[in-house]
Each structure stands twice: as C-alpha cells, then as structure tokens.
Amino acid sequence: MVNENYTMNNVDIFIITGFDHLQNQKLLGFLILITYMLILLGNSINLCIIMTDRHLHKPMYILICNLAVVDIMFSSTCSTTMISVLLAEIKTVSYYSCISRTFFHHLGDIKVCMALTLMAIDRLLAIRLPLRYHSIVTNSRTFLFIFLTWLIGFTIMAVVISVVDSVPYCQPVIRYVFCDYPSMIRAACVNPEPYFLLSAIITLWFLCGQFPFIMCTYAVLAYSVTKLSNNSNRKQMISTCSSHLIVLFSYFAPKLVSILLTRIGVVLNLTERNAITIVASLVPSLINPTVYCTRTKEIRKRLADIFLHQTT
C-alpha cells in the first residue's frame, strides 16, 4: 500500500524495518558483528598468506584469493547495514547508498557462484590432465578468466540496477534486513511480480545451469579419484575435493532449501525469510576461509610456521 505522505520518485532515504519485531536485537547484532569480524579475519589471513608467499602464486591459490575478495565484499554489503541497525540503532539508509549496497551485494552473490565454477574446472583439469595441467592452466589465463567473470558480473548488475533505479518509489520502508533487489522492488510503487522475473531468470541460471555443471565436474572428479593407483595422491585429491564440496554446499544449500520449501507449498513468514537471507549471506563467507585454512596443506603449513615463529 502506498504511503500518502510520500510522492513518487521523492524518496531520499529508506528505513530498514526487518528487525523491528525482534526483542533481542542487541544479541543478534553482536552475533552478526562477531561473525563479520571472523569473516574479515579469516579471508584477510588467506589473502596475506597467499600474497606474501611466492610459492603459493599458483592458479589454485589465485582462485582462493579471488573467492576471499568476493566473500569480503559480499558479507560487507549486508553486515554493515545490519550492525548499524541492531547496534547503533541507525535504521535509515540513503537512496544511493541502498542502490550501491544492492549492486555490490548481488555482484558478490553472482561472483561467488562463478568463483566456485572456476575452482571446479581447475580441479577437474588438475586430475584429468595432470601432465598438461601446468601448460593449460597458467597464472595469466587464471587472471584472464577471473577478469571475465567480474566483467560478466558487472554487466548483469548494470541491468539489474538500471531496473531498480528506474521504478518509482513512494514509500521509504524496507521490510527486510538490508538493501537488496527484492526489498527495493517491494518498496516501489509497482506490482513487484513482473520485476521478479528478472531475478528468477538469474537465479535459474545459477541453480539450473552452473550448479548442475559444478556437480557434474565433481562426479567426474570422484570417478577419476577412484582410478588413481597412488594412495597418497588419492588421499590428497579427496581432501582437496572435499574442501571444495564443503564450500559449494555452504553457498547453495540455503538457496536450495528456500526454493524447495516454496515449491512444496511451505509459506515462509518475514522472520523466516530474513533468517534464511542472513544465513545465506554470512555463513558461506565464514566457512570458506576456515575450510581453506584448515584443509589446504600449504596454507595450513604456512600459518603454522608464522605462529611457531612468533612463539619462539
């Protein structure tokens, strides 16, 4: 319903109201703050270790760095808003700040999926073509494909944001917990359903296109690993692939659960939708650096060397 106190295209600020019904707002705010700090810490450690160790300047670690940058951007766009609302009790966000946060939030979402796709392809080539891997997957080609994924992400988001910026707004209320495409479209003076077709197409591209593709690569990887005769190589490949699978499912699981519940007729209330959104935005970015710090031998060894050197 349109608020009569505001006229179309005359909204300079948005008010975040997604947490208004919660009683323990400070507790949730501290949990989000701690999670965000751990995300920054974990991803920064990965970035620093890989960037300062020349032995780790290899395609797989470049891809891990790319994912770390994306995780920081993805989590920052939503965490800063939620922390501001819950702890600082600043519920207002300017129109252009909301637009920019929407842009970078969904750019991060798109980039995480593309980063996971590149990492799956990298592992597939490493196992299927071990003798030719280093000649095919070079640092320069890795940087080129990373650049192309960023270019694709920026292009998609340019279209999305042009839609968001073109609709008329007549009420400054965001019913969700941070600025994103659905929350802004629902705040506009339009029927939101036609506009959700765009986001549905993008979502289907990832969930029905890239996700099955990534799963197929890991199915091929699993088959290839069983054919390895060397037990040590087999264990190393299993460890590496399991790390990637943990990261993969931490990203896709919340999205798949939300879609599955919708398809079977479960109607989620606003609190449940916000909870899934928060989990989908923060948990993958927290799990990713933890997995790569603890399960990647070279990063784990480098991290141990740093701490042992400091304690001696």
Side-chain angles (χ1 to χ4, degrees), residues 64-249:
I64 291 176
C65 278
N66 176 54
L67 183 61
V69 171
V70 173
D71 279 336
I72 291 173
M73 178 182 70
F74 183 43
S75 59
S76 295
T77 54
C78 57
S79 296
T80 51
T81 301
M82 293 188 290
I83 292 168
S84 175
V85 171
L86 292 169
L87 296 183
E89 298 183 358
I90 301 174
K91 298 182 179 181
T92 57
V93 181
S94 70
Y95 174 80
Y96 288 107
S97 176
C98 201
I99 284 279
S100 63
R101 293 182 192 207
T102 298
F103 180 92
F104 286 107
H105 176 74
H106 291 294
L107 174 62
D109 201 7
I110 291 170
K111 275 294 301 164
V112 170
C113 187
M114 291 184 174
L116 294 176
T117 303
L118 288 181
M119 296 173 85
I121 295 172
D122 173 75
R123 289 302 86 202
L124 180 64
L125 292 173
I127 293 179
R128 296 293 293 177
L129 302 171
L131 299 179
R132 297 177 56 195
Y133 171 77
H134 294 291
S135 61
I136 296 174
V137 185
T138 62
N139 286 358
S140 58
R141 286 175 181 168
T142 302
F143 279 118
L144 174 61
F145 279 104
I146 288 173
F147 171 76
L148 289 175
T149 59
W150 279 96
L151 184 61
I152 292 170
F154 272 101
T155 303
I156 293 172
M157 284 312 304
V159 175
V160 172
I161 290 303
S162 67
V163 172
V164 173
D165 194 39
S166 64
V167 296
Y169 292 93
C170 50
Q171 56 179 339
V173 177
I174 298 273
R175 296 174 58 230
Y176 296 84
V177 291
F178 54 81
C179 297
D180 62 358
Y181 182 81
S183 65
M184 294 199 71
I185 289 298
R186 290 194 182 279
C189 306
V190 295
N191 176 15
E193 296 306 322
Y195 290 90
F196 286 149
L197 178 62
L198 176 61
S199 61
I201 292 172
I202 296 173
T203 302
L204 284 175
W205 174 37
F206 291 125
L207 294 181
C208 299
Q210 286 190 270
F211 180 65
F213 171 77
I214 295 172
M215 293 307 298
C216 286
T217 63
Y218 281 109
V220 175
L221 285 174
Y223 175 78
S224 301
V225 167
T226 61
K227 297 297 182 181
L228 293 175
S229 57
N230 190 309
N231 286 331
S232 62
N233 287 343
R234 185 185 301 174
K235 289 180 180 179
Q236 182 180 357
M237 289 303 176
I238 291 174
S239 177
T240 301
C241 292
S242 62
S243 300
H244 287 281
L245 285 172
I246 292 170
V247 170
L248 178 69
F249 282 106

